[in-house]
Amino acid sequence: MTALAPETSHDQLWNRRYEEHIAPVNRLLDDTAALRPDSSVCYVDPMHDVDQAKIVVLFSNTGCADASGFITPGDADAATRMLGLQWELGLRPEYVMPWNVYPWHNGTEANGKLEPAQITAGLKPLLRLLKVAPRASALVAHGTEAHRLADQLLKTQNPLLWRRGFKTYKVKSLDGRAFAGSAERQQAHLDQMQTAYADAMARTGIAPSR
């Protein structure tokens, strides 16, 4: 008899991506992928919850798709910074919803600097996300591309935004050149992020978990 290999933690997460609390978002990503059959999309980790999410975290995703198949802040250092911020603030993952400016990836190639047309192409998927995440009323945009899409979002003057009292915040990317400078400059970027997330939590009624 051949022994079955134990299921890894990644396999467990991957197999849960269509659970009820996150399925609407990942089904939306399936529909988004179908719009560009020559590309792929990354999914949202099932640690997040579409019904509880109040803050959308928008990443510029100029790099490669993560090998996990899930949306990430960037490289391993970026992920560590994100986790550190959430821990310091007591911000639980079910209250945030990660999203990419340009949802599509071309195989294992890096997206590189996103062109204006690519950023604009990300607007409709972002609006669809807001429709399926009924409690989201704040957005933290990480990096230049995310800043531009956040501006486009506000310019739509979509009734959904004013009904929810929607607010956007612009902060640095969690990886790349933003964290290539001095330790003091890096800490200033992290402090700016912490201020933005703390304000978003206060506005949306998220109590720190610790």
Side-chain angles (χ1 to χ4, degrees), residues 50-72:
V50 67
D51 292 318
Q52 297 191 64
K54 296 183 178 182
I55 302 171
V56 174
V57 182
L58 188 63
F59 299 121
S60 292
N61 72 299
T62 55
C64 296
D66 193 82
S68 68
F70 292 117
I71 295 172
T72 66

PDB file of all heavy atoms in Angstrom, residues 50-72:
ATOM      1  N   VAL A  50     -15.360  37.861   4.006  1.00  0.00           N
ATOM      2  CA  VAL A  50     -16.043  38.852   3.179  1.00  0.00           C
ATOM      3  C   VAL A  50     -17.128  39.598   3.948  1.00  0.00           C
ATOM      4  O   VAL A  50     -17.392  40.770   3.677  1.00  0.00           O
ATOM      5  CB  VAL A  50     -16.624  38.192   1.909  1.00  0.00           C
ATOM      6  CG1 VAL A  50     -17.757  37.232   2.249  1.00  0.00           C
ATOM      7  CG2 VAL A  50     -17.088  39.240   0.913  1.00  0.00           C
ATOM      8  N   ASP A  51     -17.754  38.969   4.913  1.00  0.00           N
ATOM      9  CA  ASP A  51     -18.834  39.617   5.658  1.00  0.00           C
ATOM     10  C   ASP A  51     -18.332  40.504   6.790  1.00  0.00           C
ATOM     11  O   ASP A  51     -19.053  41.402   7.234  1.00  0.00           O
ATOM     12  CB  ASP A  51     -19.788  38.558   6.220  1.00  0.00           C
ATOM     13  CG  ASP A  51     -20.558  37.842   5.126  1.00  0.00           C
ATOM     14  OD1 ASP A  51     -21.003  38.516   4.180  1.00  0.00           O
ATOM     15  OD2 ASP A  51     -20.704  36.604   5.202  1.00  0.00           O
ATOM     16  N   GLN A  52     -17.112  40.257   7.264  1.00  0.00           N
ATOM     17  CA  GLN A  52     -16.566  41.055   8.355  1.00  0.00           C
ATOM     18  C   GLN A  52     -15.573  42.123   7.902  1.00  0.00           C
ATOM     19  O   GLN A  52     -15.284  43.063   8.654  1.00  0.00           O
ATOM     20  CB  GLN A  52     -15.884  40.153   9.389  1.00  0.00           C
ATOM     21  CG  GLN A  52     -16.816  39.179  10.088  1.00  0.00           C
ATOM     22  CD  GLN A  52     -16.132  38.522  11.270  1.00  0.00           C
ATOM     23  OE1 GLN A  52     -15.763  39.180  12.237  1.00  0.00           O
ATOM     24  NE2 GLN A  52     -15.948  37.217  11.180  1.00  0.00           N
ATOM     25  N   ALA A  53     -15.050  41.981   6.689  1.00  0.00           N
ATOM     26  CA  ALA A  53     -14.000  42.885   6.215  1.00  0.00           C
ATOM     27  C   ALA A  53     -14.501  44.321   6.141  1.00  0.00           C
ATOM     28  O   ALA A  53     -15.547  44.605   5.548  1.00  0.00           O
ATOM     29  CB  ALA A  53     -13.504  42.437   4.849  1.00  0.00           C
ATOM     30  N   LYS A  54     -13.749  45.234   6.746  1.00  0.00           N
ATOM     31  CA  LYS A  54     -14.107  46.650   6.746  1.00  0.00           C
ATOM     32  C   LYS A  54     -13.051  47.509   6.058  1.00  0.00           C
ATOM     33  O   LYS A  54     -13.326  48.645   5.681  1.00  0.00           O
ATOM     34  CB  LYS A  54     -14.303  47.137   8.186  1.00  0.00           C
ATOM     35  CG  LYS A  54     -15.455  46.462   8.915  1.00  0.00           C
ATOM     36  CD  LYS A  54     -15.634  47.042  10.308  1.00  0.00           C
ATOM     37  CE  LYS A  54     -16.821  46.405  11.025  1.00  0.00           C
ATOM     38  NZ  LYS A  54     -17.020  47.001  12.375  1.00  0.00           N
ATOM     39  N   ILE A  55     -11.835  46.963   5.915  1.00  0.00           N
ATOM     40  CA  ILE A  55     -10.739  47.715   5.303  1.00  0.00           C
ATOM     41  C   ILE A  55     -10.206  46.931   4.114  1.00  0.00           C
ATOM     42  O   ILE A  55      -9.764  45.784   4.262  1.00  0.00           O
ATOM     43  CB  ILE A  55      -9.593  47.963   6.309  1.00  0.00           C
ATOM     44  CG1 ILE A  55     -10.101  48.718   7.539  1.00  0.00           C
ATOM     45  CG2 ILE A  55      -8.456  48.736   5.644  1.00  0.00           C
ATOM     46  CD1 ILE A  55      -9.069  48.804   8.661  1.00  0.00           C
ATOM     47  N   VAL A  56     -10.240  47.537   2.928  1.00  0.00           N
ATOM     48  CA  VAL A  56      -9.612  46.935   1.753  1.00  0.00           C
ATOM     49  C   VAL A  56      -8.150  47.372   1.743  1.00  0.00           C
ATOM     50  O   VAL A  56      -7.844  48.556   1.894  1.00  0.00           O
ATOM     51  CB  VAL A  56     -10.304  47.384   0.455  1.00  0.00           C
ATOM     52  CG1 VAL A  56      -9.549  46.856  -0.773  1.00  0.00           C
ATOM     53  CG2 VAL A  56     -11.746  46.904   0.433  1.00  0.00           C
ATOM     54  N   VAL A  57      -7.253  46.408   1.585  1.00  0.00           N
ATOM     55  CA  VAL A  57      -5.821  46.696   1.508  1.00  0.00           C
ATOM     56  C   VAL A  57      -5.405  46.485   0.054  1.00  0.00           C
ATOM     57  O   VAL A  57      -5.429  45.361  -0.452  1.00  0.00           O
ATOM     58  CB  VAL A  57      -5.009  45.783   2.449  1.00  0.00           C
ATOM     59  CG1 VAL A  57      -3.533  46.138   2.369  1.00  0.00           C
ATOM     60  CG2 VAL A  57      -5.512  45.927   3.877  1.00  0.00           C
ATOM     61  N   LEU A  58      -5.047  47.572  -0.616  1.00  0.00           N
ATOM     62  CA  LEU A  58      -4.785  47.548  -2.050  1.00  0.00           C
ATOM     63  C   LEU A  58      -3.284  47.570  -2.316  1.00  0.00           C
ATOM     64  O   LEU A  58      -2.594  48.518  -1.938  1.00  0.00           O
ATOM     65  CB  LEU A  58      -5.459  48.756  -2.705  1.00  0.00           C
ATOM     66  CG  LEU A  58      -5.464  48.817  -4.228  1.00  0.00           C
ATOM     67  CD1 LEU A  58      -6.244  47.648  -4.825  1.00  0.00           C
ATOM     68  CD2 LEU A  58      -6.048  50.143  -4.703  1.00  0.00           C
ATOM     69  N   PHE A  59      -2.802  46.517  -2.973  1.00  0.00           N
ATOM     70  CA  PHE A  59      -1.383  46.393  -3.279  1.00  0.00           C
ATOM     71  C   PHE A  59      -1.122  46.717  -4.748  1.00  0.00           C
ATOM     72  O   PHE A  59      -1.916  46.370  -5.624  1.00  0.00           O
ATOM     73  CB  PHE A  59      -0.894  44.980  -2.980  1.00  0.00           C
ATOM     74  CG  PHE A  59      -1.049  44.569  -1.544  1.00  0.00           C
ATOM     75  CD1 PHE A  59      -1.805  43.456  -1.197  1.00  0.00           C
ATOM     76  CD2 PHE A  59      -0.451  45.299  -0.535  1.00  0.00           C
ATOM     77  CE1 PHE A  59      -1.948  43.068   0.127  1.00  0.00           C
ATOM     78  CE2 PHE A  59      -0.596  44.929   0.810  1.00  0.00           C
ATOM     79  CZ  PHE A  59      -1.345  43.807   1.134  1.00  0.00           C
ATOM     80  N   SER A  60       0.015  47.357  -5.016  1.00  0.00           N
ATOM     81  CA  SER A  60       0.350  47.732  -6.386  1.00  0.00           C
ATOM     82  C   SER A  60       0.747  46.536  -7.245  1.00  0.00           C
ATOM     83  O   SER A  60       0.707  46.609  -8.464  1.00  0.00           O
ATOM     84  CB  SER A  60       1.468  48.781  -6.382  1.00  0.00           C
ATOM     85  OG  SER A  60       1.000  50.009  -5.848  1.00  0.00           O
ATOM     86  N   ASN A  61       1.127  45.430  -6.647  1.00  0.00           N
ATOM     87  CA  ASN A  61       1.477  44.157  -7.294  1.00  0.00           C
ATOM     88  C   ASN A  61       2.240  44.308  -8.603  1.00  0.00           C
ATOM     89  O   ASN A  61       1.848  43.820  -9.651  1.00  0.00           O
ATOM     90  CB  ASN A  61       0.248  43.254  -7.472  1.00  0.00           C
ATOM     91  CG  ASN A  61      -0.765  43.684  -8.527  1.00  0.00           C
ATOM     92  OD1 ASN A  61      -1.330  44.756  -8.431  1.00  0.00           O
ATOM     93  ND2 ASN A  61      -1.014  42.826  -9.505  1.00  0.00           N
ATOM     94  N   THR A  62       3.378  44.998  -8.530  1.00  0.00           N
ATOM     95  CA  THR A  62       4.224  45.148  -9.710  1.00  0.00           C
ATOM     96  C   THR A  62       5.191  43.970  -9.873  1.00  0.00           C
ATOM     97  O   THR A  62       5.883  43.877 -10.880  1.00  0.00           O
ATOM     98  CB  THR A  62       5.042  46.449  -9.627  1.00  0.00           C
ATOM     99  OG1 THR A  62       5.788  46.453  -8.403  1.00  0.00           O
ATOM    100  CG2 THR A  62       4.132  47.663  -9.673  1.00  0.00           C
ATOM    101  N   GLY A  63       5.237  43.085  -8.895  1.00  0.00           N
ATOM    102  CA  GLY A  63       6.145  41.945  -8.967  1.00  0.00           C
ATOM    103  C   GLY A  63       5.497  40.704  -9.548  1.00  0.00           C
ATOM    104  O   GLY A  63       4.492  40.772 -10.268  1.00  0.00           O
ATOM    105  N   CYS A  64       6.056  39.555  -9.204  1.00  0.00           N
ATOM    106  CA  CYS A  64       5.537  38.274  -9.677  1.00  0.00           C
ATOM    107  C   CYS A  64       4.386  37.799  -8.794  1.00  0.00           C
ATOM    108  O   CYS A  64       4.280  38.202  -7.637  1.00  0.00           O
ATOM    109  CB  CYS A  64       6.643  37.221  -9.655  1.00  0.00           C
ATOM    110  SG  CYS A  64       8.027  37.558 -10.765  1.00  0.00           S
ATOM    111  N   ALA A  65       3.567  36.944  -9.362  1.00  0.00           N
ATOM    112  CA  ALA A  65       2.537  36.293  -8.557  1.00  0.00           C
ATOM    113  C   ALA A  65       3.218  35.424  -7.507  1.00  0.00           C
ATOM    114  O   ALA A  65       4.215  34.755  -7.792  1.00  0.00           O
ATOM    115  CB  ALA A  65       1.639  35.447  -9.443  1.00  0.00           C
ATOM    116  N   ASP A  66       2.689  35.442  -6.292  1.00  0.00           N
ATOM    117  CA  ASP A  66       3.276  34.626  -5.239  1.00  0.00           C
ATOM    118  C   ASP A  66       3.042  33.146  -5.521  1.00  0.00           C
ATOM    119  O   ASP A  66       1.986  32.755  -6.034  1.00  0.00           O
ATOM    120  CB  ASP A  66       2.665  35.002  -3.887  1.00  0.00           C
ATOM    121  CG  ASP A  66       3.441  34.420  -2.727  1.00  0.00           C
ATOM    122  OD1 ASP A  66       4.457  35.004  -2.337  1.00  0.00           O
ATOM    123  OD2 ASP A  66       3.019  33.357  -2.214  1.00  0.00           O
ATOM    124  N   ALA A  67       4.027  32.333  -5.188  1.00  0.00           N
ATOM    125  CA  ALA A  67       3.931  30.893  -5.454  1.00  0.00           C
ATOM    126  C   ALA A  67       2.776  30.244  -4.707  1.00  0.00           C
ATOM    127  O   ALA A  67       2.290  29.180  -5.111  1.00  0.00           O
ATOM    128  CB  ALA A  67       5.247  30.210  -5.076  1.00  0.00           C
ATOM    129  N   SER A  68       2.323  30.861  -3.640  1.00  0.00           N
ATOM    130  CA  SER A  68       1.212  30.311  -2.868  1.00  0.00           C
ATOM    131  C   SER A  68      -0.112  30.360  -3.633  1.00  0.00           C
ATOM    132  O   SER A  68      -1.045  29.623  -3.319  1.00  0.00           O
ATOM    133  CB  SER A  68       1.047  31.083  -1.557  1.00  0.00           C
ATOM    134  OG  SER A  68       0.596  32.413  -1.814  1.00  0.00           O
ATOM    135  N   GLY A  69      -0.191  31.270  -4.622  1.00  0.00           N
ATOM    136  CA  GLY A  69      -1.443  31.461  -5.333  1.00  0.00           C
ATOM    137  C   GLY A  69      -2.383  32.437  -4.653  1.00  0.00           C
ATOM    138  O   GLY A  69      -3.488  32.685  -5.138  1.00  0.00           O
ATOM    139  N   PHE A  70      -1.924  33.026  -3.525  1.00  0.00           N
ATOM    140  CA  PHE A  70      -2.742  33.989  -2.796  1.00  0.00           C
ATOM    141  C   PHE A  70      -2.170  35.401  -2.949  1.00  0.00           C
ATOM    142  O   PHE A  70      -0.973  35.573  -3.211  1.00  0.00           O
ATOM    143  CB  PHE A  70      -2.809  33.634  -1.311  1.00  0.00           C
ATOM    144  CG  PHE A  70      -3.565  32.364  -1.013  1.00  0.00           C
ATOM    145  CD1 PHE A  70      -2.927  31.271  -0.436  1.00  0.00           C
ATOM    146  CD2 PHE A  70      -4.918  32.249  -1.312  1.00  0.00           C
ATOM    147  CE1 PHE A  70      -3.615  30.102  -0.161  1.00  0.00           C
ATOM    148  CE2 PHE A  70      -5.621  31.082  -1.041  1.00  0.00           C
ATOM    149  CZ  PHE A  70      -4.967  30.003  -0.465  1.00  0.00           C
ATOM    150  N   ILE A  71      -3.022  36.400  -2.755  1.00  0.00           N
ATOM    151  CA  ILE A  71      -2.583  37.797  -2.788  1.00  0.00           C
ATOM    152  C   ILE A  71      -1.693  38.068  -1.582  1.00  0.00           C
ATOM    153  O   ILE A  71      -2.039  37.716  -0.451  1.00  0.00           O
ATOM    154  CB  ILE A  71      -3.794  38.742  -2.772  1.00  0.00           C
ATOM    155  CG1 ILE A  71      -4.620  38.570  -4.056  1.00  0.00           C
ATOM    156  CG2 ILE A  71      -3.354  40.200  -2.619  1.00  0.00           C
ATOM    157  CD1 ILE A  71      -5.928  39.331  -4.041  1.00  0.00           C
ATOM    158  N   THR A  72      -0.542  38.695  -1.811  1.00  0.00           N
ATOM    159  CA  THR A  72       0.401  39.012  -0.739  1.00  0.00           C
ATOM    160  C   THR A  72       0.847  40.468  -0.868  1.00  0.00           C
ATOM    161  O   THR A  72       0.686  41.076  -1.931  1.00  0.00           O
ATOM    162  CB  THR A  72       1.646  38.110  -0.790  1.00  0.00           C
ATOM    163  OG1 THR A  72       2.385  38.410  -1.982  1.00  0.00           O
ATOM    164  CG2 THR A  72       1.256  36.628  -0.790  1.00  0.00           C
TER     165      THR A  72
END
